[in-house]
């Protein structure tokens, strides 16, 4: 093949990547880059607008001066971090976790979940997702050859008219159990939940866990926002020995310490499950970033003495209150989060102008994509349309909602509020 060969002669990509529609992140970035209002206030992606705490940054800088921290780490993670994680999480589990067999470090929570799927999902195995879901789950499951089944969270009917607690989004456990077939291998849970902000209650998790025990289904529990909870938080892996035996818990230093670019995550679970996740992780990327593992270890070792966990929650709640004040001013209802740093706002009252010029790839999407595009182009505020986290069949549930990330500096939140006041003339 010569350099002048036609595109038709180019090597054909695999079915895993061929034919996928444009994802929400690239659509939002495209709109932001071309918006006449600059700079864009980015409240879309959940990256922090500020640095990790100083003591964690200091540990990262010091680690870079150490020879061993600039070389490969053990595939399961640096011993110091595994011990720090075991020490930090043992009190929640009510027993001493073994850092050598019940903890494995991964290159971010996302790669940890991919490792879990690769470790246990065979082609044709079914995995249950609860809608809405973080979109990356889908691609990870499909890479492993899994078949996805969906069960929706049901929003409260009054949420279109008044502000409600995220707790009111409910799961029908009978509906969940009806989705199970002999091929069902795993269910993915997410609490605190992205994008709803719901913390699944003790009763809800117990009911789900008991169904999984009944049918011998693995539980992959995405708990990356586990330190940002504003109501009582239950960890599914702590509910009973039989549920714990089926549960892999996923965590993230990026979410814990305001460092999403560090890509340090972990899984905690029974030794007989963790060993297979570790094997898959070894084949995917061998090991994870050494100096940042060391810094994360220091983060956990000193967090309690620094008062970091409680301060982190207070700070995020303050940001929530600061930003969400705009919705009362505009008369728009929202879901009051129980955890995490996202807020879902119902914009059913916002009337988009007739004949507004949306590009075809936005015009063909649900209403929330048009709302997102409009906010970026006309107000200079980027937010995420949550129907991206649904199947087409259930997208109608969220087409009036928009997701905002409040993990930003206060001046950014204030600028966003000022710009969002421009919605007043479109609210009917």
């Amino acid at each position: 093949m010569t350099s002048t060969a036609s595109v038709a002669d180019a090597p054909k990509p695999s079915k895993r990547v061929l034919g996928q529609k444009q994802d929400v992140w690239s659509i939002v970035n495209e709109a932001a880059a071309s918006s006449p209002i600059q700079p864009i206030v980015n409240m879309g992606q959940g990256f922090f607008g500020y640095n990790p705490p100083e003591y964690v940054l200091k540990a990262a800088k010091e680690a870079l001066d150490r020879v061993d921290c600039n070389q490969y780490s053990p595939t399961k993670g640096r011993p110091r971090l595994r011990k720090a994680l075991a020490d930090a999480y043992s009190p929640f589990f009510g027993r001493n976790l073994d850092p050598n067999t019940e903890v494995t470090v991964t290159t971010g929570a996302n790669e940890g979940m991919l490792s879990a799927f690769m470790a246990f999902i065979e082609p044709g195995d079914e995995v249950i997702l609860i809608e809405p879901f973080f979109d990356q789950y889908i691609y990870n499951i499909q890479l492993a050859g899994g078949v996805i089944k969906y069960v929706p969270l049901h929003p409260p009917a009054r949420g279109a008219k008044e502000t409600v607690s995220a707790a009111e989004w409910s799961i029908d456990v009978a509906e969940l159990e009806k989705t199970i077939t002999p091929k069902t291998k795993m269910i993915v849970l997410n609490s605190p939940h992205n994008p709803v902000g719901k913390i699944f209650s003790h009763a809800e998790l117990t009911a789900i866990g008991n169904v999984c025990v009944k049918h011998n289904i693995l539980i992959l529990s995405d708990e990356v926002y586990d330190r940002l909870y504003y109501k009582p938080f239950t960890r599914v892996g702590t509910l009973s020995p039989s549920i714990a035996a089926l549960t892999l818990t996923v965590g993230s230093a990026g979410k814990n310490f305001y460092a999403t670019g560090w890509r340090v995550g972990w899984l905690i679970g029974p030794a007989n499950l963790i060993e297979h996740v570790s094997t898959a992780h070894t084949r995917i990327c061998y090991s994870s970033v050494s100096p940042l593992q060391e810094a994360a270890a220091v983060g956990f070792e000193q967090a309690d003495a620094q008062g970091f966990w409680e301060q982190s929650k207070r700070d995020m709640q303050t940001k929530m209150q600061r930003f969400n004040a705009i919705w009362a001013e505009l008369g728009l209802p929202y879901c009051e989060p129980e955890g995490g740093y996202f807020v879902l706002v119902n914009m059913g009252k916002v009337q988009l102008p007739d004949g507004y010029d949306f590009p075809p790839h936005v015009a063909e999407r649900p209403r929330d994509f048009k709302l997102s595009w409009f906010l970026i182009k006309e107000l200079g505020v980027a937010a995420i349309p949550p129907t991206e986290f649904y199947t087409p069949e259930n997208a109608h549930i969220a087409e009036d909602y928009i997701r905002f990330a409040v993990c930003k500096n206060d001046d950014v939140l204030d600028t966003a509020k000022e710009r969002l006041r421009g919605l007043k003339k479109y609210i009917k």
Side-chain angles (χ1 to χ4, degrees):
M1 178 175 172
T2 68
S3 59
T4 58
S6 69
V7 174
D9 295 328
K12 185 177 180 181
S14 72
K15 293 180 180 179
R16 286 186 293 273
V17 299
L18 185 64
Q20 292 188 6
K21 65 181 181 180
Q22 190 174 2
D23 66 85
V24 65
W25 316 107
S26 59
I27 289 175
V28 168
N29 289 338
E30 171 194 338
S34 60
S35 174
I37 304 174
Q38 297 291 340
I40 293 293
V41 178
N42 189 347
M43 300 192 67
Q45 289 179 285
F47 60 83
F48 294 88
Y50 39 89
N51 268 336
E54 185 59 37
Y55 81 98
V56 176
L57 274 182
K58 181 173 179 286
K61 294 171 183 176
E62 290 176 351
L64 285 169
D65 287 330
R66 289 171 45 187
V67 173
D68 64 307
C69 287
N70 287 296
Q71 310 306 321
Y72 295 125
S73 286
T75 59
K76 284 189 173 184
R78 295 185 69 78
R80 184 177 183 179
L81 177 54
R82 284 186 279 125
K83 182 180 185 304
L85 289 167
D87 290 346
Y89 283 91
S90 287
F92 300 128
F93 284 82
R95 63 182 183 82
N96 290 326
L97 296 170
D98 186 333
N100 296 313
T101 62
E102 295 180 297
V103 180
T104 196
V105 175
T106 59
T107 308
N110 184 52
E111 188 268 321
M113 295 187 76
L114 174 61
S115 294
F117 295 134
M118 290 296 188
F120 292 103
I121 301 304
E122 295 281 5
D125 285 344
E126 293 176 357
V127 180
I128 296 175
L129 294 184
I130 295 174
E131 296 182 278
F133 46 79
F134 180 48
D135 60 336
Q136 195 66 33
Y137 296 163
I138 291 179
Y139 307 113
N140 286 350
I141 293 167
Q142 291 173 340
L143 281 172
V147 176
I148 305 169
K149 300 294 182 179
Y150 302 91
V151 177
L153 282 176
H154 298 282
R158 64 192 184 94
K161 298 180 179 179
E162 59 186 280
T163 294
V164 298
S165 169
E168 295 190 38
W169 288 63
S170 61
I171 185 167
D172 184 333
V173 178
E175 183 180 11
L176 168 65
E177 189 160 17
K178 288 179 183 177
T179 307
I180 296 170
T181 75
K183 293 182 179 180
T184 305
K185 187 71 171 289
M186 183 184 288
I187 182 172
V188 179
L189 300 179
N190 178 209
S191 181
H193 188 276
N194 171 20
V196 174
K198 174 186 175 67
I199 290 179
F200 284 81
S201 70
H202 187 282
E204 288 172 322
L205 290 176
T206 299
I208 294 169
N210 287 339
V211 167
C212 291
V213 171
K214 176 181 175 181
H215 297 278
N216 195 33
I217 296 170
L218 290 168
I219 302 169
L220 186 59
S221 186
D222 180 352
E223 299 179 10
V224 297
Y225 305 102
D226 72 327
R227 299 290 179 163
L228 291 173
Y229 58 89
Y230 321 124
K231 299 291 175 65
F233 173 54
T234 299
R235 301 169 191 274
V236 66
T238 69
L239 290 173
S240 71
S242 56
I243 294 174
L246 293 170
T247 301
L248 290 163
T249 300
V250 183
S252 165
K255 301 299 193 296
N256 288 164
F257 298 115
Y258 319 151
T260 58
W262 283 17
R263 313 310 295 152
V264 176
W266 57 84
L267 275 77
I268 295 172
N272 66 310
L273 301 183
I274 288 294
E275 68 170 313
H276 302 302
V277 176
S278 297
T279 299
H281 163 73
T282 301
R283 300 310 174 201
I284 293 169
C285 60
Y286 185 72
S287 65
S288 302
V289 183
S290 297
L292 301 182
Q293 286 190 59
E294 199 75 5
V298 173
F300 277 100
E301 290 167 356
Q302 298 183 19
D304 289 330
Q306 296 275 348
F308 174 70
W309 301 128
E310 291 305 314
Q311 186 63 49
S312 178
K313 283 191 286 187
R314 285 194 298 269
D315 289 348
M316 197 62 72
Q317 282 185 290
T318 299
K319 290 181 182 297
M320 282 284 185
Q321 293 163 1
R322 186 186 193 106
F323 178 66
N324 287 336
I326 188 62
W327 310 124
E329 183 179 330
L330 294 174
L332 296 177
Y334 65 94
C335 295
E336 187 173 359
E338 298 183 296
Y341 49 66
F342 297 111
V343 58
L344 276 182
V345 180
N346 191 296
M347 293 196 171
K349 295 180 183 178
V350 175
Q351 185 172 319
L352 296 170
D354 292 336
Y356 190 84
D357 187 21
F358 294 105
H361 62 284
V362 174
E364 68 184 14
R365 299 290 188 103
R367 183 173 185 268
D368 60 330
F369 272 81
K370 300 176 185 67
L371 284 166
S372 174
W373 187 272
F374 184 79
L375 288 177
I376 295 170
K377 290 288 192 174
E378 302 301 323
L379 302 182
V381 178
I384 296 298
T387 59
E388 181 78 357
F389 310 141
Y390 281 86
T391 55
E393 294 75 17
N394 285 325
H396 66 277
I397 293 173
E399 66 180 357
D400 283 332
Y401 285 94
I402 289 290
R403 189 197 80 174
F404 294 85
V406 305
C407 49
K408 313 297 178 182
N409 286 321
D410 289 349
D411 63 322
V412 173
L413 300 180
D414 290 341
T415 301
K417 289 165 61 180
E418 182 59 37
R419 292 186 181 185
L420 287 166
R421 290 187 176 99
L423 281 176
K424 287 180 180 179
K425 61 184 176 182
Y426 301 105
I427 293 175
K428 306 298 181 183

